[in-house]
């Protein structure tokens, strides 16, 4: 379900700040990015304002970030957007919103990592630090993130069929082989770990060929780390996954790596479809998502040949 989209302007952002956080209202405001759920507006040189503008679930995701991310951020070795202030719904804007720190860099779908050793070490260090046992009241992943991979079987079948019908996947049998192997792997037997939950290329930032930040923690949750361990297939250049796995601690067991490949296939298929929608000019499409997703799928297929 979606809200009617509210027109968000620099003047609206300034008005909201004047109402609730007047000490920030005189800073320069300019548009930073429009995402699936939120718009991001730069606030001076070191802050940003995130406002939900489409999906209903964005409200809950922003509140979750505000509740949990400030405590997690200090232990993470890459910069993340740390919530500083919470804006409450008002007559001017009927939804919650956040003031966060600004993380500089270029999104990984537009500027993929190219320095394999440095990027692999940066990603491994980030996930090693994040993947710690979560408290019992930690949020559960939305859309099955962090849960059993088999729960996403219908999504996988639907995405593979759509990508194949559009000529975007030339060897669906090889893609299904990766998936079937992942689903057959033993499940996660350890405690639920903290997860980012949505580590696709548009949610990491790069600079000089390596990772320099991680953004959008709206899907932060606790569960099976295989969900996040799909990331090296999606974010790193060719030849970097082995170095990532050597650097990530504690080393993932074989079953977790198999499940991770299944999660990576899901994300790659989604990226391919979103990329094609962007090429066609469809709403929600992002043409920059296609190339990294195709590269990830090519690498994943090579693991079963």
């Amino acid at each position: 379900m979606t809200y009617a989209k509210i027109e968000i302007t620099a003047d609206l952002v300034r008005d909201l700040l004047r109402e609730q956080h007047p000490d920030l209202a005189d800073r320069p405001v300019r548009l930073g990015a429009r995402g699936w759920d939120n718009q991001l507006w730069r606030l001076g040189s070191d802050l940003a304002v995130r406002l939900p503008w489409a999906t209903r679930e964005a409200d809950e995701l922003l509140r979750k970030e505000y509740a949990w991310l400030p405590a997690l951020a200090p232990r993470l070795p890459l910069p993340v957007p740390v919530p500083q202030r919470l804006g409450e719904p008002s007559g001017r804007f009927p939804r919650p919103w956040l003031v966060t720190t600004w993380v500089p860099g270029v999104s990984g779908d537009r500027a993929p990592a190219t320095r394999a050793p440095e990027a692999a070490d940066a990603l491994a260090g980030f996930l090693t630090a994040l993947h710690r046992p979560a408290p019992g009241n930690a949020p559960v992943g939305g859309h099955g993130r962090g849960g059993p991979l088999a729960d996403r079987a219908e999504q996988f079948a639907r995405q593979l069929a759509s990508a194949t019908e559009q000529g975007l996947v030339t060897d669906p049998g090889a893609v299904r082989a990766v998936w079937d192997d992942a689903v057959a792997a033993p499940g996660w037997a350890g405690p639920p770990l903290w997860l980012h939950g949505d580590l696709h290329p548009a949610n990491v930032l790069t600079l000089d060929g390596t990772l320099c930040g991680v953004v959008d923690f709206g899907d932060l949750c606790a569960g099976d780390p295989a969900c996040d361990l799909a990331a090296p297939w999606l974010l790193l250049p060719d030849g970097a996954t082995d170095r990532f796995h050597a650097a990530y601690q504690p080393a993932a067991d074989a079953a977790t790596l198999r499940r991770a490949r299944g999660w990576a296939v899901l994300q790659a298929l989604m990226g391919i479809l979103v990329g094609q929608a962007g090429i066609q000019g469809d709403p929600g499409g992002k043409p920059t998502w296609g190339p990294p997703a195709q590269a990830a799928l090519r690498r994943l297929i090579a693991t079963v040949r």
Side-chain angles (χ1 to χ4, degrees):
M1 182 176 293
T2 60
Y3 286 107
K5 288 187 177 179
I6 300 170
E7 183 181 3
I8 299 174
T9 65
D11 287 341
L12 173 61
V13 175
R14 290 190 192 95
D15 287 347
L16 294 176
L17 291 167
R18 289 190 187 100
E19 290 176 358
Q20 299 190 35
H21 302 285
D23 59 311
L24 301 177
D26 291 335
R27 288 174 166 236
V29 174
R30 67 183 188 277
L31 180 64
R34 291 187 176 94
W36 289 103
D37 299 314
N38 303 291
Q39 289 192 22
L40 187 69
W41 289 75
R42 295 287 304 274
L43 183 60
S45 61
D46 59 340
L47 296 176
V49 180
R50 289 181 66 198
L51 304 98
W53 73 307
T55 61
R56 181 177 295 275
E57 66 182 3
D59 295 15
E60 177 185 350
L61 302 183
L62 286 180
R63 291 190 183 278
K64 178 172 62 174
E65 288 188 52
Y66 184 76
W68 292 101
L69 193 52
L72 293 174
R75 77 179 191 214
L76 302 177
L78 289 175
V80 301
V82 183
Q84 304 293 302
R85 312 276 185 94
L86 177 65
E88 294 291 354
S90 67
R92 191 75 176 83
F93 187 77
R95 308 184 67 176
W97 46 278
L98 289 179
V99 177
T100 75
T101 56
W102 171 258
V103 182
V106 182
S107 63
D109 59 316
R110 298 180 178 276
T114 55
R115 294 163 56 198
E118 293 85 352
D121 290 349
L123 181 60
F126 175 82
L127 289 180
T128 293
L130 177 62
H131 288 174
R132 296 285 186 260
N137 62 338
V140 175
H143 306 292
R145 289 179 173 87
L149 188 60
D151 291 351
R152 306 289 285 268
E154 290 186 8
Q155 176 190 347
F156 167 77
R158 184 172 62 253
Q159 290 180 344
L160 180 60
S162 178
T164 302
E165 289 168 2
Q166 295 181 65
L168 305 173
V169 171
T170 59
D171 192 349
V175 176
R176 180 167 290 280
V178 179
W179 173 261
D180 289 345
D181 178 70
V183 172
W188 175 246
L193 304 184
W194 277 118
L195 310 175
H196 178 280
D198 200 21
L199 283 173
H200 58 71
N203 281 345
V204 299
L205 303 176
T206 65
L207 179 67
D208 295 332
T210 189
L211 276 63
C212 67
V214 179
V215 299
D216 196 349
F217 283 75
D219 288 304
L220 182 74
C221 63
D224 176 5
C227 177
D228 277 357
L229 292 175
W233 299 103
L234 298 153
L235 305 180
L236 301 180
D238 288 350
T241 52
D242 286 347
R243 178 158 181 145
F244 169 88
H245 292 137
Y248 174 79
Q249 298 296 322
D253 60 33
T256 298
L257 295 180
R258 290 167 64 190
R259 296 193 308 277
R261 287 194 290 270
W263 283 104
V265 161
L266 271 182
Q267 293 203 45
L269 289 173
M270 174 62 76
I272 288 168
L273 292 171
V274 171
Q276 183 65 13
I279 292 172
Q280 295 172 345
D282 296 337
K286 300 177 185 295
T288 56
W289 285 35
Q294 286 285 7
L297 199 62
R298 171 177 51 79
R299 291 191 287 264
L300 287 159
I301 289 173
T303 66
V304 296
R305 286 178 170 168

